[in-house]
Amino acid sequence: MLWFTEYYSGEGMELSGTGLTVRVKSALRKKTPFQELLLLETEDWGRMLVLDGAIQTTEKDEFIYHEMIVHPAAFTLTRQIERVLVIGGGDGGTVREVLKHNPIQIDMVEIDRDVVEFSKEHLPSISCSIDDERVNLIFEDGREFVKNRKEVYDLIVVDCSDPVGPSRVLYEESFYRDAAKALKPGGIFVTQSESPFAQKRIHLKIVEELSKVFKSVRPYLAFIPTYPSGMWSFTIASNELDPLKVPYSSLDNLYREFTKRNGELRYYNPKIHYGAFAIPNFVYREE
Ligand code: SAM
């Protein structure tokens, strides 16, 4: 029996003497021009996608990440969502969740075509909506793509990997400025923002850089067992909207309508919407 270990490493990792080990039944490896892909058939987590040694998603817990990167921002935008930009997200889980809000078009900008092809072949329950006719797949660097786009999107979702390699540019203030310009007035931006426990300095830097650009910046948490420490964060930013100012009764009504079309979600619900924004004291304390 094979075992795979993700050694927690890389810039800003504060648990570099730690890792996560899973028992593996089989493994498939592919080298792309950008990174090394690994598809593991695991004993406990179903299929697992690993990029350059870092676990990206597993069939068992992907719903938490993908619901939580999309729905808190999407339910804050109480108007009809027309155009959405997803940067990264090659496994397809993010567009699957965005489509539940009936957008007219999603531009999904993924730098590595092989991640999409690999996920379509090996992770059908996650990538199942990538070929939806409303998804416009663009294989390009998301950093370059947002330059010079003015007031196009209602929602921008940055579903990228850790700030090493091609993702690094998606954590810079200049990128956040271009993303803010690409939003329509009243639009909303969300990015995954690392683990406040395992990568606290990076998490705080993301919030700080976003705060230089947007009036409202709200980090929030979700429990994701296969990510370092299990404590994960996302951050919503907007110049006009605030996820905590959406009245509970209107969110509850919107969610009920949503579930009539899509069924219940597995993690997100209106109570999670507010509760996720409660951040433990240690995150913002010098320790
Ligand atoms: N859930 C994941 C996590 O936090 O570990 C992210 C998953 S998703 C597979 C990340 C994707 O971002 C990868 O497929 C990668 O190719 C893509 N990516 C990295 N840098 C990018 C860039 N500059 N532009 C567009 N896509 C990028």
Side-chain angles (χ1 to χ4, degrees):
M1 193 56 103
L2 272 168
W3 291 84
F4 165 80
T5 298
E6 176 183 345
Y7 295 99
Y8 292 161
S9 60
E11 204 181 298
M13 171 51 73
E14 294 163 37
L15 296 179
S16 50
T18 306
L20 177 70
T21 300
V22 295
R23 197 147 54 191
V24 168
K25 297 178 193 162
S26 61
L28 198 68
R29 199 185 297 271
K30 184 180 169 97
K31 191 109 185 78
T32 83
F34 298 96
Q35 50 213 343
E36 186 185 73
L37 316 187
L38 193 58
L39 195 272
L40 304 175
E41 188 78 60
T42 70
E43 190 170 300
D44 294 330
W45 301 92
R47 292 185 176 174
M48 175 181 272
L49 177 68
V50 180
L51 298 185
D52 286 339
I55 297 169
Q56 302 291 304
T57 200
T58 80
E59 285 177 321
K60 193 176 175 81
D61 68 352
E62 60 86 10
F63 69 97
I64 308 172
Y65 179 91
H66 293 121
E67 288 186 14
M68 287 302 282
I69 198 170
V70 171
H71 300 303
F75 276 103
T76 299
L77 257 176
T78 42
R79 66 176 187 229
Q80 170 60 39
I81 301 175
E82 291 176 348
R83 277 193 78 177
V84 181
L85 172 63
V86 173
I87 295 182
D91 52 61
T94 292
V95 295
R96 183 194 66 202
E97 294 307 312
V98 172
L99 284 167
K100 294 178 181 170
H101 292 269
N102 280 334
I104 292 170
Q105 188 181 318
I106 304 174
D107 291 335
M108 175 174 145
V109 184
E110 163 61 60
I111 203 166
D112 192 342
R113 181 188 289 268
D114 287 319
V115 178
V116 174
E117 297 306 328
F118 202 69
S119 303
K120 275 166 68 171
E121 195 176 341
H122 301 292
L123 297 167
S125 63
I126 305 176
S127 60
C128 50
S129 305
I130 280 194
D131 288 330
D132 187 287
E133 57 187 15
R134 292 163 291 174
V135 180
N136 176 28
L137 271 178
I138 300 153
F139 295 108
E140 194 184 318
D141 181 344
R143 174 69 195 94
E144 290 305 311
F145 184 86
V146 290
K147 284 184 184 160
N148 306 317
R149 282 198 158 63
K150 302 267 178 304
E151 300 190 2
V152 184
Y153 299 105
D154 301 288
L155 169 65
I156 298 179
V157 185
V158 182
D159 178 7
C160 63
S161 16
D162 296 333
V164 282
S167 275
R168 186 185 289 273
V169 289
L170 303 175
Y171 291 83
E172 292 167 359
E173 183 193 336
S174 64
F175 165 67
Y176 297 144
R177 281 204 190 281
D178 286 338
K181 287 187 196 138
L183 283 177
K184 286 184 199 162
I188 196 161
F189 172 95
V190 59
T191 182
Q192 73 90 4
S193 49
E194 306 288 285
S195 167
F197 191 89
Q199 295 137 305
K200 177 169 155 173
R201 275 169 294 132
I202 298 186
H203 167 73
L204 292 178
K205 185 87 181 131
I206 295 168
V207 174
E208 186 187 322
E209 297 302 304
L210 282 169
S211 303
K212 293 178 187 165
V213 176
F214 291 94
K215 289 190 185 130
S216 162
V217 175
R218 296 279 195 195
Y220 62 99
L221 303 176
F223 162 70
I224 304 179
T226 54
Y227 284 176
S229 86
M231 181 194 202
W232 205 253
S233 78
F234 305 87
T235 301
I236 285 179
S238 174
N239 282 322
E240 294 87 5
L241 301 175
D242 181 343
L244 290 178
K245 296 206 172 122
V246 183
Y248 184 83
S249 54
S250 62
L251 178 59
D252 201 43
N253 285 338
L254 273 176
Y255 183 70
R256 272 175 222 269
E257 290 306 312
F258 174 93
T259 54
K260 279 184 204 154
R261 296 193 311 272
N262 299 296
E264 280 281 356
L265 294 172
R266 292 178 67 200
Y267 191 92
Y268 176 90
N269 60 41
K271 286 190 176 138
I272 292 271
H273 181 100
Y274 303 98
F277 292 89
I279 308 289
N281 295 344
F282 80 85
V283 178
Y284 299 112
R285 194 178 280 167
E286 291 282 336
E287 289 179 338

